[in-house]
Each structure stands twice: as structure tokens, then as C-alpha cells.
């Protein structure tokens, strides 16, 4: 049996990773079992308990010109653990010789280092700190290493994760033998994941339809698109456990993960992130809404063609083909991909997904990319409108009120009505001072003022 430890119980991992391992088992490739670990204190596992860790995914879209709705019963979950309430079960996994793979999805902000983290802490420490403690338990048990496959959408995600673990080894003065074991026995494999997942349906009509389609009620059902790609860096003997080919998703083992990562993050995620605040403030609720709107659809098209595609690789034709497929995926009428869901942690997403394209365009042309500047302006207009109520943060749009979720200091900053220009200059937020780009801060401030006056910038 191949056992997998998964940090994160969210819709994406369950509709992508867990569906893949479930398919491998059902195809007779091997027996795969996933143990989910809740990485943060927030949230409850009651739905998993109620359904004995069973659930369905529904992949909805258009294939060959025909609408498809394919239902898959997912049986790959062995257990779902709350390590804050049940640390014994969590650390028991570290001592299990059958554990071969660790997967994580803790958002772009999850792979980070905090020198205030303590070895004897758990609730308030980062994911890499928790992982370091877990690996130390495995080392002390005298077991072999594992394959670590983070899916967080940052460049070289596994390399960055290992850097954090190395820093905690140094911070906590852990044994040199443990560092050597981590360096030699654990394989940190950079990955790229690609499947649009809209998750649990929000409207009653869709819920009723899916219940009828599945044949029973399912509080864990998750909706995704048929397309799926997982590119994994080929290290060690990972091919023994991760099988290439199409197994619900297409899996590629590659020595050039950078190309897949850059293409997906910039074209799919970057265009998403640039679109979302614009769409929200212009009254759209889903990605499909945006793509059916002439102005928003043209905004996406022009952004890709002029400011993103040319800077992905030397093979512009291949990138253009991929971008065309992205637009058709955005037009999937079944996904109901809520803009508010994509808007989660928009600041770190903009830094990771859009800023690299912004910089490449600026450096190549000596001027601001018009569409990415507009997208950022809508982002700043959205955040500068945030207000706090009962410890939560909201924005009043023209057609509705929405909740905004991001790092608390960012929300507090804007709720206190602090200036946009100072936020743009904060290198701790963006990794650099955004006001250094000639004309950027003036353009954004002027745009934000227009947006708040009801002017449409696209």
C-alpha cells in the first residue's frame, strides 16, 4: 500500500489529488490511501465524519461539442485528522513505513518562515514548521524519507518549502544527522497543478440537480472541469508511486517543471487574478459571467495577447494555443466559479501570478502594461473600500455586499483608511517597492478615484 499525507481538506485537493489516487487504485495500478490533515485551527471535519470520508466529484464541461457531467465516487480517504485535537494520530503517520508521499495546499502564503515559531508550538506556527516537526519524528523513528509534492502556486514550490525546513532546522538547532537525512532521503519535487475547481455548489437548484445526478445527498460534493494536468519534477524513484498518463487527470513527470509552472501561473492564474476585482466591481459574480460580457471578455483577451502571452516562453505560438484553451475553459457554463472564491488572498496572488508579467512587459517596453495596470487599480479600489464589522471584513459593491478574506494586517490597513500609495511601496507586501515603476502610482491613484466615481475603465 502507498500512503499519502495531505495537508489540506479543501475542494481543490479533493477534486484533483484525491481523485487521481482513487483512480489509480480502481485501475488496479496499486493501492493508494490518503490521510488528510487539517493544517489550521479554522474549520470543522464534521462532514467527513458524517460521510465516513466518502464523497463524490462531478466534472462538468463541454467535450467534443457536447455537455458532459461525469460523476466519480471517491474512496481514497483513509482518515481525516485534526492534529490540534488529535496529535497522536498525526504523529503516528510519521512512524508509518508505508507513507511515501506528502502533498500540501496551504495557499501561496502558506510556504513561509517565521523566526518566532517555537519547536514546542503547533497551533500558531507555519506549515513548514509543522512539517519540520513531522519529519523529525520520522527521522527519530529510523524510517526512510518521503516524496514531498507541494501544489501551492509559487515558483519552485518544493525548493521554497525545503528552504523553509532548512531554516527551521537551523533555528531550532536540530541535529546535523537530521539535516543530512532531510537532504539525502527526502525528495522535494516541484509541481504544477491545473484544474479549475468551483467546489461545493452554492445555489439550491444546482445542489438539487447534483443530488439527483449522484443518487444521494453529499455535503462534500465538489465540482470541477474535465481538464486536469499535474506536472511533477522527476526525482529519485518517484515513478514507482506517481504514474504518468491520464488517470482522471493527466500526469507528466518532467525535468523542466519551470515551463509548465510559468505557463499555467501566468496565463490561467494571472488572467484570473487580473480579472477578478474588475469583474466584481462591474457587477459580475462568476468567471462565466465575465466571459459572456463583451467588455470583460475583451479585457481578458487583450490582457493575454498583449501583456501575458509574449513573456511566457520563446514559443509564442504554443503559449497562444494554451491561452485559447484557457478562454474556452473560462466559458464552461457548469463551473459556476465564483469571483469571491478566486479573490481569496488576492494580494499574495497578485504578487505571485501577475507581478512577473507586469515586470517583464515594463522592462521590455519601458512603459506600464495598460490592462494589468487597470486590473491592479480595480484591486486597490476593492481593498480601499473594505470595512470591518464584528471582526469580519466586507466590501459594498454596486449590486451586493461581499466578504473579503486576506491576511489580517492588509484588511486592517485598508479598513483604517490608510493610503494606497503607502501600501504599494511596502516591500514586505510585494517583495519590492511598486512605486518605483514610472507613473504606476499616479496611474493607480487616478484610476481608483475614477472607479469610485462610477467610471468604467475597460
Amino acid at each position: 500500500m502507498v500512503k499519502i499525507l495531505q495537508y489540506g481538506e479543501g475542494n481543490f485537493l479533493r477534486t484533483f489529488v484525491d481523485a487521481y489516487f482513487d483512480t489509480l487504485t480502481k485501475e488496479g495500478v496499486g493501492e493508494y490511501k490518503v490521510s488528510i490533515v487539517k493544517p489550521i485551527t479554522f474549520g470543522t471535519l464534521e462532514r467527513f465524519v458524517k460521510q465516513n470520508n466518502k464523497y463524490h466529484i462531478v466534472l462538468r464541461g463541454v467535450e467534443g461539442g457536447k455537455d458532459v457531467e461525469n460523476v466519480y465516487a471517491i474512496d481514497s480517504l483513509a482518515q481525516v485528522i485534526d492534529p490540534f485535537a488529535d496529535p497522536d494520530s498525526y504523529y503516528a503517520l510519521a512512524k508509518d513505513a508505508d507513507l511515501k508521499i506528502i502533498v500540501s495546499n496551504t495557499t501561496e502564503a502558506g510556504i513561509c518562515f517565521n523566526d518566532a515559531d517555537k519547536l514546542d508550538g503547533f497551533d500558531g506556527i507555519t506549515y513548514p514548521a509543522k512539517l519540520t516537526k513531522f519529519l523529525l519524528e520520522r527521522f527519530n523513528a529510523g524510517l526512510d524519507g518521503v516524496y514531498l509534492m507541494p501544489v501551492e502556486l509559487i515558483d519552485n514550490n518544493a525548493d521554497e518549502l525545503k528552504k523553509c525546513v532548512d531554516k527551521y532546522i537551523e533555528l531550532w538547532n536540530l541535529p546535523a544527522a537530521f539535516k543530512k537525512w532531510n537532504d539525502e532521503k527526502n525528495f522535494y519535487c516541484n509541481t504544477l497543478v491545473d484544474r479549475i475547481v468551483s467546489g461545493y455548489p452554492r445555489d439550491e437548484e444546482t445542489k438539487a440537480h447534483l443530488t439527483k445526478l449522484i443518487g444521494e445527498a453529499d455535503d462534500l460534493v465538489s465540482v470541477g472541469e474535465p481538464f486536469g494536468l499535474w506536472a511533477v519534477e522527476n526525482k529519485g524513484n518517484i515513478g514507482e508511486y506517481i504514474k504518468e498518463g491520464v488517470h482522471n487527470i493527466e500526469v507528466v513527470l518532467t525535468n523542466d517543471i519551470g515551463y509548465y509552472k510559468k505557463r499555467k501561473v501566468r496565463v490561467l492564474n494571472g488572467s484570473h487574478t487580473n480579472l477578478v476585482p474588475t469583474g466584481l466591481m462591474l457587477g459580475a459574480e462568476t468567471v462565466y459571467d465575465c466571459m459572456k460580457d463583451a467588455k470583460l471578455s475583451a479585457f481578458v483577451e487583450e490582457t493575454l495577447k498583449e501583456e501575458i502571452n509574449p513573456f511566457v516562453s520563446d514559443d509564442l505560438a504554443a503559449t497562444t494555443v494554451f491561452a485559447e484553451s484557457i478562454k474556452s475553459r473560462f466559458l464552461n457554463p457548469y463551473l459556476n466559479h465564483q469571483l469571491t472564491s478566486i479573490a481569496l488572498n488576492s494580494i499574495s496572488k497578485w504578487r505571485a501570478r501577475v507581478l512577473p508579467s507586469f515586470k517583464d512587459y515594463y522592462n521590455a517596453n519601458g512603459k506600464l502594461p495598460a490592462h494589468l495596470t487597470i486590473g491592479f487599480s480595480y484591486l486597490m479600489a476593492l481593498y480601499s473600500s473594505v470595512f470591518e464589522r464584528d471582526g469580519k471584513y466586507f466590501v459594498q459593491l454596486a449590486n451586493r455586499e461581499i466578504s473579503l478574506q486576506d491576511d489580517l494586517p492588509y484588511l486592517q490597513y485598508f479598513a483604517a483608511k490608510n493610503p494606497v500609495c503607502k501600501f504599494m511601496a511596502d516591500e514586505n507586501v510585494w517583495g519590492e517597492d511598486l512605486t518605483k515603476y514610472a507613473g504606476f502610482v499616479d496611474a493607480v491613484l487616478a484610476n481608483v478615484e475614477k472607479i469610485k466615481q462610477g467610471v468604467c475603465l475597460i
Side-chain angles (χ1 to χ4, degrees), residues 160-171:
E160 293 303 314
L161 179 60
K162 186 177 187 299
K163 287 178 184 177
C164 292
V165 172
D166 287 340
K167 288 181 180 179
Y168 283 112
I169 292 173
E170 180 180 359
L171 176 69

Side-chain angles (χ1 to χ4, degrees), residues 3 91-100 138 141 143 146:
K3 293 184 179 180
Y91 286 115
L93 291 170
K95 302 166 187 174
D96 191 329
D98 288 333
L99 180 69
K100 302 298 182 184
R138 189 169 182 84
L143 294 175
V146 295

Side-chain angles (χ1 to χ4, degrees), residues 42 181 263 277 314 325 354 384 386 399 439 453:
F42 178 79
W181 176 85
R263 185 183 73 172
D314 292 335
S325 75
V354 182
S384 62
V386 74
N399 60 337
Q453 293 174 0

Side-chain angles (χ1 to χ4, degrees), residues 67-349:
D67 293 355
V68 295
E69 293 183 284
N70 296 321
V71 178
Y72 300 86
I74 307 300
D75 306 307
S76 56
L77 302 188
Q79 57 182 334
V80 181
I81 299 170
D82 181 348
F84 308 96
D86 186 10
D88 290 343
S89 293
Y90 171 62
Y91 286 115
L93 291 170
K95 302 166 187 174
D96 191 329
D98 288 333
L99 180 69
K100 302 298 182 184
I101 297 167
I102 296 179
V103 178
S104 65
N105 187 20
T106 57
T107 78
E108 285 90 333
I111 297 180
C112 60
F113 172 76
N114 183 351
D115 60 9
D117 287 343
K118 304 296 184 185
L119 179 59
D120 58 357
F122 194 82
D123 287 21
I125 64 177
T126 67
Y127 158 58
K130 293 182 177 75
L131 176 64
T132 304
K133 293 180 62 173
F134 183 89
L135 294 174
L136 181 61
E137 289 283 337
R138 189 169 182 84
F139 166 76
N140 288 334
L143 294 175
D144 208 351
V146 295
Y147 291 87
L148 295 107
M149 298 163 50
V151 305
E152 289 86 351
L153 286 172
I154 59 174
D155 288 341
N156 304 310
N157 46 18
D159 293 342
E160 293 303 314
L161 179 60
K162 186 177 187 299
K163 287 178 184 177
C164 292
V165 172
D166 287 340
K167 288 181 180 179
Y168 283 112
I169 292 173
E170 180 180 359
L171 176 69
W172 295 336
N173 196 28
L174 299 178
F178 172 57
K179 185 181 187 311
K180 184 173 186 293
W181 176 85
N182 186 51
D183 290 342
E184 298 178 357
K185 300 297 184 181
N186 291 316
F187 293 93
Y188 289 78
C189 302
N190 296 306
T191 75
L192 179 282
V193 294
D194 191 357
R195 167 172 277 171
I196 298 173
V197 173
S198 58
Y200 187 76
R202 297 192 178 195
D203 63 284
E204 294 302 322
E205 182 179 353
T206 303
K207 290 179 188 177
H209 172 73
L210 293 182
T211 297
K212 183 178 180 180
L213 194 66
I214 294 167
E216 61 181 308
D218 185 351
D219 291 337
L220 288 169
V221 65
S222 182
V223 176
E225 65 173 336
F227 178 90
L229 172 68
W230 196 2
V232 180
E233 191 174 18
N234 194 357
K235 287 187 175 182
N237 296 318
I238 194 170
E240 293 183 15
Y241 310 111
I242 299 298
K243 303 302 179 180
E244 290 191 282
V246 178
H247 309 278
N248 193 286
I249 58 174
E250 181 181 1
V251 173
V252 176
L253 296 178
T254 177
N255 295 319
D256 185 16
I257 198 73
Y259 166 71
Y260 292 95
K261 173 75 72 174
K262 187 175 183 180
R263 185 183 73 172
K264 192 259 182 174
V265 170
R266 293 203 184 192
V267 177
L268 173 62
N269 302 111
S271 58
H272 251 167
T273 299
N274 192 62
L275 170 66
V276 165
T278 310
L280 282 171
M281 299 206 73
L282 293 180
E285 296 188 15
T286 67
V287 174
Y288 183 73
D289 291 341
C290 294
M291 298 305 291
K292 296 300 289 185
D293 179 273
K295 288 184 178 180
L296 286 167
S297 178
F299 180 66
V300 172
E301 173 100 25
E302 293 162 6
T303 304
L304 285 167
K305 181 179 179 181
E306 299 170 15
E307 299 171 14
I308 295 179
N309 293 350
F311 307 100
V312 173
S313 75
D314 292 335
D315 192 344
L316 178 58
T319 302
T320 300
V321 170
F322 180 71
E324 288 298 319
S325 75
I326 291 299
K327 288 187 290 182
S328 67
R329 290 164 63 191
F330 285 1
L331 274 165
N332 184 338
Y334 293 107
L335 283 179
N336 194 32
H337 204 175
Q338 298 289 320
L339 298 180
T340 50
S341 297
I342 308 171
L344 177 68
N345 294 324
S346 283
I347 299 301
S348 62
K349 284 179 177 176

Side-chain angles (χ1 to χ4, degrees), residues 321-422:
V321 170
F322 180 71
E324 288 298 319
S325 75
I326 291 299
K327 288 187 290 182
S328 67
R329 290 164 63 191
F330 285 1
L331 274 165
N332 184 338
Y334 293 107
L335 283 179
N336 194 32
H337 204 175
Q338 298 289 320
L339 298 180
T340 50
S341 297
I342 308 171
L344 177 68
N345 294 324
S346 283
I347 299 301
S348 62
K349 284 179 177 176
W350 194 91
R351 173 178 172 175
R353 302 174 175 187
V354 182
L355 181 57
S357 295
F358 181 98
K359 291 166 66 173
D360 282 350
Y361 181 96
Y362 182 90
N363 291 333
N365 296 283
K367 62 180 182 179
L368 299 174
H371 299 88
L372 296 181
T373 298
I374 288 173
F376 185 81
S377 299
Y378 273 105
L379 179 66
M380 290 297 96
L382 187 71
Y383 272 65
S384 62
S385 302
V386 74
F387 62 90
E388 184 268 339
R389 185 174 66 229
D390 299 327
K392 296 182 179 180
Y393 294 84
F394 302 89
V395 172
Q396 181 61 54
L397 303 176
N399 60 337
R400 58 183 172 138
E401 181 181 280
I402 63 168
S403 171
L404 206 58
Q405 299 180 55
D406 210 318
D407 289 351
L408 185 58
Y410 304 159
L411 298 173
Q412 291 175 331
Y413 178 92
F414 283 110
K417 303 306 175 186
N418 286 306
V420 168
C421 56
K422 184 178 178 182

